[in-house]
C-alpha cells in the first residue's frame, strides 16, 4: 500500500485543487458558482450517510434529523440568540449529537432493519414537529438568516455571496474528507467494516457490533450537521423542507453511485446528480422519477457502483 | 366529558384504528412471512387512492369497481417489484431491498405527481352519504364498511394462516425457504402471492379510508409510520397482534387529537413506540 | 496452564435438545477431537462455549467461569474459534484479512489519529509487516496476499480461516471442520499447523470428520451422537469402543 499511495494522493490533490479553482475561473457565472457551493455542501452532508452505508453497511434514514440540527441551529441561534457562526456551529453539533444519542441508544439492541425503520420514522415525525412548532418557524420556516460573518478583532469577513462563502465551504469539505480518511484507517473504521462484511467473524474477533453501530452513528451526526450549518447560511433560510425525501434520496444515490468506500465517491456522485438536476432538468416530478430510478437501477444492475465496470 | 362525546371519540378511534390495521396487514405478512421490508408501502397507499379517484372522476367508474381495479393494479405492481428484486430476495440482502423500495417509492411519488398533478383531490365514496345513528353516536356507511371489511379480512387471513396448507407453507417459508416446498407449494409462487396480497390489501384500504380526507401525491409517510408502529407493538408477524395494536393506536390518536393536539398526534404515537422499544423490543404478539 | 473445562453442557432450541451431557477437558498443549455424525450437535457445542446460544452446564477457562461473557469478549480471554463456512472477509484481500485479524493492537483509534494524522504511514507499515508474518506462520504463500479469499486454492482458504481466528495469539482455539474438503498435501500442512499450535501451548478443540486426521493428531476424542456424548477417551480407546463403532465408525469410511 505505501508504494501506491503517491499516485492516488496526486490524483486526489489535483482533483481537489481543480474543484477549488472552478468558482474563481467562472466567477461571473452565478449558476456555476452556485452549483459548486451547493455540491460541496450537499456532499458534506452525504459523507455522514457514507460512513454508515459504505462502511457499516446499514441504512440510516434519519440523517435529515442531523441536517435539521445544523440548519435550525443556525436559524434559532442567529435570529433568536444572536450567536456568532462559531457558536451556531457548536450549537448545531451539540443538538445533532444529542439527537443521535437518543436514537442510537434506543436502537442499540434492535436489528438492522428496525434501525432503518426507526430512523425513518424519526425523520418523518421530526418533519411534523418542525412543521407545526411555532418556535421553529412552523411551515413558513425562519426567514432572514443573516449571512455568515466571521470576525477576528477588527477584521471581519462577510460571506454574503456564494463566491465569498466558497472558501469556508471548501475548508469544511477538506476537514470532512480528512475525517473520512482517518476514520477508514482507524479501529472504528475497521470494526465498522468487519461488522458489515461478516458480523459473526467480527464478533469472534472482538468487535462489539452494537457499540460499533452506535459510535459510527454518533460520528455521522456532526458531519451531516456541518453541512446543514453551511446550508442555512447559504440560503439565508431555514425550513421543514430539509425533511423532504429528496435529501436522503440524494445522499444514498451519491454514496452508491461510484462505488463503496471511495474517498471522493460521494462528492462526485453529488456533483453528477446535481448536474442533471440543474442543467438537464426534467421538471420537479420528472427529476424525482429520475433520481429514484437511478438509485434502483444502480442497486439492481451495478451494486458495486459505476466504477465496477472498469474493474475486473 | 359527556358520555356521548366519549363514545363518539371511541367510535371514531375504532374506525380509524381498524383502518390502520387494514393498511398494515399486507406489511405484517410481508415482514413476518418473507422477512422483507417494503418502504414503498405508504406511497402505494397514495397511488391506490389516486388510481381509485382517477377511475371514478375521469373514467366514470363506480366506487366498487374502481377499488377492485386499483387492487389489481397494485397487486401487479407489487409482483413486478418482487421480480425486480428477485436476486436480492434470494440472498436476503435486506439492506439493498430497503434502499430499492425507497427508490421505488420516490419514483412512484414523482410519477403520481406527473400523472395526477399536485392539487389535493377527493374520492367521493357513496357510502359516506349513508348516515347512521346509534344512540348519540354517529357514523357513516363508510365507517361501518371499514369495520366490517377489516374484521373480515383479518379473520380470513388468520384462518388461512392457521388452518390451510397455504398457511402452513407460509409459516414454513418464514422459517426456511426450502421447507415450504415440503407442502407441495412453489416458494416463488408463494412469495408472489404475498407480494400481490400486500398490493391488493393496501389498495383496498386506500379505497375505503382515503375518501375520509383530501388526498395529495405527497402523502403516504404517515401511513408508513403507523404501519410500522402497529407491526412492532403488535409483534412482528402476529396477525391478531396487528389488529389489536391498530385498534389501540386509532383510539389513542382519536383521544389525543381531541384532548391535546391533532398536529402532534403522530409524534405522540412515535414517542410511545420509542418507549416501547426500550421496554419490550419484541412486541406483544407471538412474532416469528 | 490453560484448561478449558466443559461440564454437562446442554443446548436446546425450543423443544429440540441439540446437545446434552457434553463433558470434556482440554489443556494447553493438547488437541481434543470432537467427532460424530452430521447434525449431532458439534457446532452447537462451539456456539454454546462462545456464548452465541443459551446453554446449561458450566464452561470454565483456567478456573474462571465464562458464564455471561458476551461473545465479542471471548477473544480477550484467549478463546478463539473458526467457522465452518465463510470464515473470512470475502470482499477484502487476503493480506487485509490478516490485518483485520490482528485487531486493536495494530490499529490506531480515531482519537489517536486525530491527534497525529501523520503517523498513518508508519502504523500501516508495521501492521502490514505483522500481517505478512501471520500469513507466513500459517503457510499461506505471500503471493496470495493481494488476492481475495475466493481466488486462492481451497486448502489455503482453510489455513487462512485458522490464521484469521488465531490472530495475535490464542489460549484456546476451537476449530470447526478445518479439513472439510481438504485432501492430500493440504491435509499434511494442516496437520503440521495443528501440531505447531499444540507446541505453542494452545488448547485446540477440533471438530472433524476426517478420521485419519483425527486419529493422527488428537490426544483425546469426545464422540457425540444425536446430541449426547457417548464416549470420551484416547484414540485407541475410542476405536475399540463398541458404542462408537455402532453409531459412527462402523458405517463410516
Amino acid at each position: 500500500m505505501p508504494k501506491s499511495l503517491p499516485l492516488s494522493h496526486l490524483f486526489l490533490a489535483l482533483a481537489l485543487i481543480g474543484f477549488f479553482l472552478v468558482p474563481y475561473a467562472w466567477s461571473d457565472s452565478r449558476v456555476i458558482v452556485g452549483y459548486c457551493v451547493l455540491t460541496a455542501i450537499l456532499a458534506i452532508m452525504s459523507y455522514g450517510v457514507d460512513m454508515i452505508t459504505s462502511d457499516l453497511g446499514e441504512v440510516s434514514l434519519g440523517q435529515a434529523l442531523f441536517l435539521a440540527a445544523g440548519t435550525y441551529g443556525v436559524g434559532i441561534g442567529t435570529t433568536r440568540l444572536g450567536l456568532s457562526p462559531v457558536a451556531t456551529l457548536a450549537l448545531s453539533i451539540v443538538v445533532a449529537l444529542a439527537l443521535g444519542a437518543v436514537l442510537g441508544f434506543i436502537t442499540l439492541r434492535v436489528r438492522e432493519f428496525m434501525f432503518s425503520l426507526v430512523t425513518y420514522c424519526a425523520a418523518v415525525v421530526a418533519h411534523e414537529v418542525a412543521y407545526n412548532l411555532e418556535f421553529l418557524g412552523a411551515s413558513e420556516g425562519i426567514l432572514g438568516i443573516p449571512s455568515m460573518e466571521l470576525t477576528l478583532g477588527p477584521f471581519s469577513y462577510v460571506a454574503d455571496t456564494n463566491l465569498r462563502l466558497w472558501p469556508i465551504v471548501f475548508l469544511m469539505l477538506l476537514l470532512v474528507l480528512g475525517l473520512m480518511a482517518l476514520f477508514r484507517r482507524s479501529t472504528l473504521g475497521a470494526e465498522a467494516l468487519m461488522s458489515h462484511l461478516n458480523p459473526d467473524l467480527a464478533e469472534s474477533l472482538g468487535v462489539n457490533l452494537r457499540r460499533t453501530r452506535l459510535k459510527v452513528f454518533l460520528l455521522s451526526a456532526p458531519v451531516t450537521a456541518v453541512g446543514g450549518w453551511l446550508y442555512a447560511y447559504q440560503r439565508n433560510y431555514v425550513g421543514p423542507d430539509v425533511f423532504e425525501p429528496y435529501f436522503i434520496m440524494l445522499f444514498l444515490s451519491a454514496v452508491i453511485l461510484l462505488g463503496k468506500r471511495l474517498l471522493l465517491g460521494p462528492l462526485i456522485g453529488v456533483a453528477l446528480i446535481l448536474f442533471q438536476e440543474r442543467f438537464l432538468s426534467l421538471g420537479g416530478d420528472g427529476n424525482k422519477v429520475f433520481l429514484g430510478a437511478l438509485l434502483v437501477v444502480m442497486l439492481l444492475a451495478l451494486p458495486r457502483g459505476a466504477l465496477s465496470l472498469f474493474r475486473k | 366529558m359527556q358520555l356521548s362525546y366519549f363514545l363518539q371519540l371511541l367510535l371514531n378511534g375504532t374506525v380509524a384504528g381498524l383502518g390502520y390495521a387494514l393498511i398494515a396487514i399486507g406489511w405484517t405478512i410481508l415482514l413476518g412471512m418473507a422477512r422483507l421490508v417494503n418502504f414503498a408501502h405508504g406511497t402505494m397507499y397514495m397511488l391506490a387512492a389516486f388510481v381509485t379517484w382517477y377511475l371514478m372522476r375521469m373514467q366514470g367508474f363506480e366506487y366498487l369497481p374502481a377499488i377492485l381495479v386499483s387492487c389489481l393494479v397494485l397487486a401487479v405492481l407489487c409482483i413486478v417489484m418482487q421480480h425486480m428484486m428477485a436476486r436480492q430476495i434470494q440472498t436476503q440482502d435486506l439492506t439493498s431491498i430497503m434502499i430499492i423500495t425507497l427508490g421505488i417509492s420516490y419514483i412512484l411519488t414523482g410519477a403520481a405527481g406527473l400523472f395526477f398533478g399536485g392539487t389535493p383531490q377527493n374520492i367521493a365514496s357513496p357510502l359516506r352519504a349513508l348516515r347512521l345513528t346509534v344512540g348519540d353516536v354517529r357514523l357513516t356507511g363508510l365507517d361501518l364498511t371499514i369495520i366490517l371489511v377489516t374484521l373480515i379480512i383479518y379473520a380470513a387471513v388468520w384462518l388461512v394462516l392457521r388452518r390451510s396448507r397455504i398457511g402452513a407453507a407460509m409459516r414454513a417459508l418464514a422459517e426456511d425457504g426450502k421447507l415450504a416446498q415440503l407442502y407441495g407449494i412453489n416458494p416463488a409462487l408463494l412469495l408472489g402471492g404475498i407480494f400481490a396480497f400486500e398490493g391488493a390489501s393496501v389498495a383496498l384500504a386506500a379505497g375505503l379510508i382515503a375518501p375520509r380526507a383530501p388526498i395529495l401525491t405527497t402523502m403516504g409517510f404517515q401511513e408508513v409510520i403507523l404501519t410500522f408502529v402497529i407491526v412492532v407493538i403488535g409483534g412482528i408477524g402476529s396477525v391478531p397482534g396487528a389488529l389489536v395494536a391498530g385498534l389501540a393506536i386509532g383510539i389513542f390518536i382519536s383521544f389525543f387529537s381531541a384532548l391535546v393536539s391533532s398536529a402532534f398526534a403522530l409524534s405522540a404515537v412515535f414517542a410511545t413506540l420509542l418507549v416501547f422499544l426500550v421496554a419490550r423490543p419484541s412486541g406483544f404478539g407471538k412474532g416469528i | 496452564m490453560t484448561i478449558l473445562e466443559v461440564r454437562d453442557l446442554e443446548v436446546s432450541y425450543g423443544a429440540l435438545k441439540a446437545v446434552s451431557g457434553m463433558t470434556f477437558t482440554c489443556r494447553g498443549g493438547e488437541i481434543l477431537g470432537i467427532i460424530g455424525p452430521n447434525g449431532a450437535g458439534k457446532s452447537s457445542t462451539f456456539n454454546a462455549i462462545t456464548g452465541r446460544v443459551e446453554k446449561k452446564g458450566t464452561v470454565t477457562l483456567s478456573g474462571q467461569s465464562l458464564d455471561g461473557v458476551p461473545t465479542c469478549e471471548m477473544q480477550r480471554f484467549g478463546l478463539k474459534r473458526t467457522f465452518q463456512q465463510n470464515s473470512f472477509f470475502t470482499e477484502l484481500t487476503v493480506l487485509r484479512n490478516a490485518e483485520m485479524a490482528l485487531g486493536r493492537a495494530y490499529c490506531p483509534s480515531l482519537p489517536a489519529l486525530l491527534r497525529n494524522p501523520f503517523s498513518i504511514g508508519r502504523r500501516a507499515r508495521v501492521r502490514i509487516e505483522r500481517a505478512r508474518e501471520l500469513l507466513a506462520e500459517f503457510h499461506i504463500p505471500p503471493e496470495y496476499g493481494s488476492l481475495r479469499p475466493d481466488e486462492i486454492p481451497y486448502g489455503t482458504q482453510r489455513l487462512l480461516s485458522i490464521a484469521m481466528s488465531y490472530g495475535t495469539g490464542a489460549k484456546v482455539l476451537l476449530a470447526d471442520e478445518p479439513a472439510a474438503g481438504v485432501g492430500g498435501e493440504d491435509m499434511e500442512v494442516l496437520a503440521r499447523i495443528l501440531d505447531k499450535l499444540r507446541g505453542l501451548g494452545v488448547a485446540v478443540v477440533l471438530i472433524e470428520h476426517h478420521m485419519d486426521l483425527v486419529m493422527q493428531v488428537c490426544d483425546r476424542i469426545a464422540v457425540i451422537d444425536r446430541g449426547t456424548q457417548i464416549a470420551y477417551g484416547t484414540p485407541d480407546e475410542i476405536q475399540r469402543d463398541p458404542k462408537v463403532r455402532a453409531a459412527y465408525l462402523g458405517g463410516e469410511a
Side-chain angles (χ1 to χ4, degrees):
Chain A
M1 202 165 84
K3 291 288 179 341
S4 64
L5 266 178
L7 194 61
S8 60
H9 271 191
L10 194 62
F11 166 74
L12 186 68
L14 284 177
L16 287 173
I17 292 173
F19 186 43
F20 180 67
L21 294 174
V22 167
Y24 295 109
W26 278 275
S27 55
D28 315 322
S29 167
R30 291 180 57 187
V31 171
I32 292 185
V33 177
Y35 166 72
C36 289
V37 170
L38 203 57
T39 296
I41 293 179
L42 292 172
I44 289 173
M45 295 178 197
S46 63
Y47 277 101
V49 175
D50 191 27
M51 65 176 77
I52 296 185
T53 303
S54 299
D55 294 80
L56 188 64
E58 299 204 25
V59 186
S60 161
L61 300 172
Q63 295 304 110
L65 281 156
F66 307 139
L67 210 195
T71 56
Y72 280 98
V74 174
I76 304 289
T78 51
T79 60
R80 310 273 167 97
L81 304 169
L83 297 175
S84 70
V86 173
T88 55
L89 179 61
L91 176 64
S92 299
I93 291 180
V94 165
V95 172
L97 282 173
L99 289 170
V102 169
L103 270 186
F105 277 104
I106 290 176
T107 55
L108 192 59
R109 292 180 192 289
V110 304
R111 285 168 282 178
E112 274 186 22
F113 72 88
M114 288 281 278
F115 171 70
S116 303
L117 282 162
V118 173
T119 51
Y120 180 84
C121 292
V124 177
V125 167
H127 183 179
E128 185 178 88
V129 170
Y131 197 82
N132 288 298
L133 209 55
E134 279 308 316
F135 176 68
L136 295 176
S139 59
E140 296 290 302
I142 303 176
L143 299 127
I145 311 271
S147 297
M148 191 188 295
E149 181 170 346
L150 300 167
T151 48
L152 192 65
F155 305 108
S156 87
Y157 179 81
V158 182
D160 52 359
T161 64
N162 273 329
L163 197 58
R164 290 187 65 110
L165 191 59
W166 176 239
I168 303 171
V169 169
F170 191 78
L171 175 65
M172 296 313 255
L173 178 65
L174 286 183
L175 290 177
V176 168
L177 287 174
L179 181 66
M180 290 302 292
L182 292 180
F183 164 71
R184 294 208 165 113
R185 285 161 179 75
S186 70
T187 322
L188 186 58
E191 292 186 342
L193 194 56
M194 286 197 273
S195 354
H196 175 189
L197 297 178
N198 193 337
D200 292 336
L201 180 61
E203 227 182 4
S204 66
L205 288 176
V207 176
N208 187 325
L209 302 176
R210 292 169 181 160
R211 264 209 252 129
T212 302
R213 176 212 274 168
L214 179 64
K215 287 195 231 174
V216 176
F217 189 57
L218 284 178
L219 186 63
S220 76
V223 170
T224 305
V226 166
W229 175 76
L230 289 167
Y231 198 44
Y233 283 112
Q234 193 264 344
R235 295 200 299 177
N236 302 110
Y237 166 74
V238 163
D241 64 325
V242 294
F243 291 106
E244 273 164 26
Y246 166 74
F247 289 95
I248 190 66
M249 292 298 303
L250 174 66
F251 301 154
L252 285 171
S253 304
V255 160
I256 67 155
L257 193 59
L258 256 63
K260 293 184 186 173
R261 298 183 291 279
L262 295 171
L263 188 60
L264 293 188
L267 178 62
I268 297 176
V270 169
L272 290 172
I273 295 172
L274 224 56
F275 187 85
Q276 178 272 323
E277 198 187 292
R278 302 226 137 179
F279 304 115
L280 302 169
S281 176
L282 301 164
D285 290 321
N287 286 341
K288 283 186 190 175
V289 174
F290 178 80
L291 188 54
L294 180 68
L295 189 58
V296 172
V297 166
M298 285 306 297
L299 279 165
L300 292 179
L302 290 171
R304 289 183 171 225
L307 288 189
S308 64
L309 287 173
F310 304 104
R311 295 176 178 170
K312 49 181 153 107
Chain B
M1 175 194 297
Q2 283 186 315
L3 182 64
S4 59
Y5 185 47
F6 176 83
L7 288 175
Q8 187 68 55
L9 284 180
L10 192 63
L11 177 73
N12 292 348
T14 302
V15 173
L18 288 176
Y20 303 147
L22 188 60
I23 298 176
I25 182 82
W27 213 78
T28 301
I29 303 288
L30 188 68
L31 183 60
M33 303 292 146
R35 299 189 188 291
L36 297 173
V37 174
N38 180 5
F39 269 107
H41 194 78
T43 316
M44 281 163 31
Y45 175 85
M46 175 278 293
L47 191 65
F50 269 92
V51 168
T52 305
W53 165 79
Y54 176 79
L55 289 173
M56 287 180 71
R57 189 68 189 283
M58 302 298 183
Q59 303 294 335
F61 273 60
E62 291 297 316
Y63 183 52
L64 186 60
I67 295 182
L68 288 175
V69 172
S70 147
C71 287
L72 195 61
V73 169
L74 266 295
V76 168
L77 177 67
C78 280
I79 293 181
V80 167
M81 275 174 61
Q82 180 218 341
H83 278 103
M84 276 168 63
M85 302 191 296
R87 191 173 18 108
Q88 283 76 11
I89 292 175
Q90 187 166 40
T91 53
Q92 301 242 301
D93 185 359
L94 204 54
T95 308
S96 294
I97 289 175
M98 286 196 283
I99 306 181
I100 292 172
T101 52
L102 206 61
I104 291 175
S105 160
Y106 204 51
I107 295 175
L108 292 177
T109 309
L114 285 173
F115 286 129
F116 302 119
T119 42
Q121 304 292 353
N122 271 293
I123 301 177
S125 166
L127 291 172
R128 289 194 88 190
L130 194 64
R131 305 274 155 125
L132 305 160
T133 317
V134 179
D136 282 329
V137 170
R138 275 181 267 173
L139 71 160
T140 69
L142 190 62
D143 294 339
L144 199 58
T145 313
I146 292 174
I147 296 177
L148 290 173
V149 169
T150 303
L151 291 175
I152 292 173
I153 300 272
Y154 263 82
V157 170
W158 174 244
L159 279 173
V160 166
L161 280 181
R162 290 284 142 192
R163 298 289 165 88
S164 76
R165 201 159 49 101
I166 295 177
M170 273 174 50
R171 281 179 289 137
L173 188 75
E175 301 283 329
D176 181 339
K178 295 180 279 277
L179 279 182
Q181 281 175 319
L182 286 176
Y183 290 90
I185 296 178
N186 186 344
L189 279 180
L190 201 57
L191 199 58
I194 293 175
F195 267 85
F197 176 71
E198 193 203 352
S201 64
V202 83
L204 177 62
L208 294 177
I209 300 164
R212 302 173 95 217
I215 56 176
L216 278 162
T217 52
T218 50
M219 73 186 212
F221 301 103
Q222 299 204 329
E223 285 71 17
V224 172
I225 297 191
L226 290 167
T227 300
F228 171 55
V229 175
I230 287 175
V231 169
V232 170
I233 295 187
I236 292 175
S238 165
V239 170
L243 187 63
V244 172
L247 209 54
I249 290 173
I251 294 173
F252 174 81
I253 290 183
S254 174
F255 279 90
F256 190 90
S257 299
L259 301 175
V260 184
S261 149
S262 66
F264 295 105
L266 201 64
S267 315
V269 170
F270 185 63
T272 318
L273 172 76
L274 292 183
V275 171
F276 193 81
L277 277 177
V278 176
R280 216 207 145 103
S282 58
F284 284 121
K286 243 187 327 180
I288 291 192
Chain C
M1 164 65 119
T2 308
I3 308 180
L4 176 72
E5 282 180 281
V6 172
R7 240 195 297 274
D8 296 317
L9 189 67
E10 200 181 288
V11 178
S12 307
Y13 298 121
L16 174 70
K17 215 179 253 192
V19 175
S20 67
M22 284 292 277
T23 302
F24 57 79
T25 306
C26 187
R27 291 184 171 72
E30 271 181 5
I31 299 182
L32 170 76
I34 298 185
I35 64 174
N38 270 326
K42 309 192 290 293
S43 285
S44 300
T45 306
F46 276 10
N47 286 338
I49 296 175
T50 52
R52 290 181 77 207
V53 296
E54 301 258 319
K55 68 165 197 321
K56 290 200 201 116
T58 55
V59 177
T60 58
L61 182 57
S62 303
Q64 196 177 359
S65 166
L66 292 179
D67 275 354
V69 175
T71 310
C72 60
E73 303 280 299
M74 288 294 175
Q75 51 87 31
R76 275 211 276 128
F77 291 85
L79 178 62
K80 313 255 182 124
R81 74 166 289 180
T82 69
F83 290 89
Q84 215 174 338
Q85 284 144 342
N86 195 16
S87 53
F88 21 68
F89 302 110
T90 46
E91 286 188 40
L92 305 177
T93 62
V94 167
L95 185 63
R96 198 92 178 88
N97 265 274
E99 289 183 58
M100 293 296 189
L102 295 176
R104 293 211 167 164
Y106 290 86
C107 202
S109 70
L110 189 55
L113 279 184
L114 286 169
R115 278 194 299 267
N116 186 3
F118 297 103
S119 63
I120 290 183
R122 175 180 51 84
R123 292 175 188 271
R125 274 193 294 278
V126 168
R127 186 173 63 246
I128 289 174
E129 209 31 64
R130 186 68 193 86
R132 292 214 169 103
E133 281 170 21
L134 179 62
L135 291 178
E137 276 169 29
F138 284 85
H139 297 243
I140 299 166
E143 57 267 24
Y144 290 163
S146 54
L147 298 175
R148 291 217 310 270
D150 50 3
E151 293 167 341
I152 67 178
Y154 183 75
T156 323
Q157 286 181 20
R158 306 308 292 163
L159 298 178
L160 178 62
S161 65
I162 302 183
M164 289 296 292
S165 58
Y166 183 80
T168 47
K171 295 211 179 98
V172 179
L173 183 67
L174 308 175
D176 200 340
E177 296 195 40
V182 168
E185 230 184 75
D186 292 325
M187 187 81 86
E188 276 302 307
V189 178
L190 187 61
R192 261 187 281 143
I193 286 188
L194 291 171
D195 228 6
K196 180 160 83 166
L197 289 171
R198 184 192 0 228
L200 288 170
V202 181
V204 180
V205 182
L206 180 72
I207 290 181
E208 247 320 316
H209 277 297
H210 281 259
M211 282 305 117
D212 303 333
L213 182 66
V214 170
M215 296 303 166
Q216 180 191 343
V217 300
C218 293
D219 299 302
R220 250 171 322 167
I221 299 174
V223 186
I224 177 170
D225 182 29
R226 273 170 291 195
T228 343
Q229 185 170 306
I230 59 174
Y232 181 48
T234 65
D236 284 336
E237 289 166 0
I238 294 300
Q239 278 175 317
R240 282 188 305 230
D241 189 322
K243 286 197 300 278
V244 176
R245 299 178 93 126
Y248 191 35
L249 288 177
E252 274 274 332

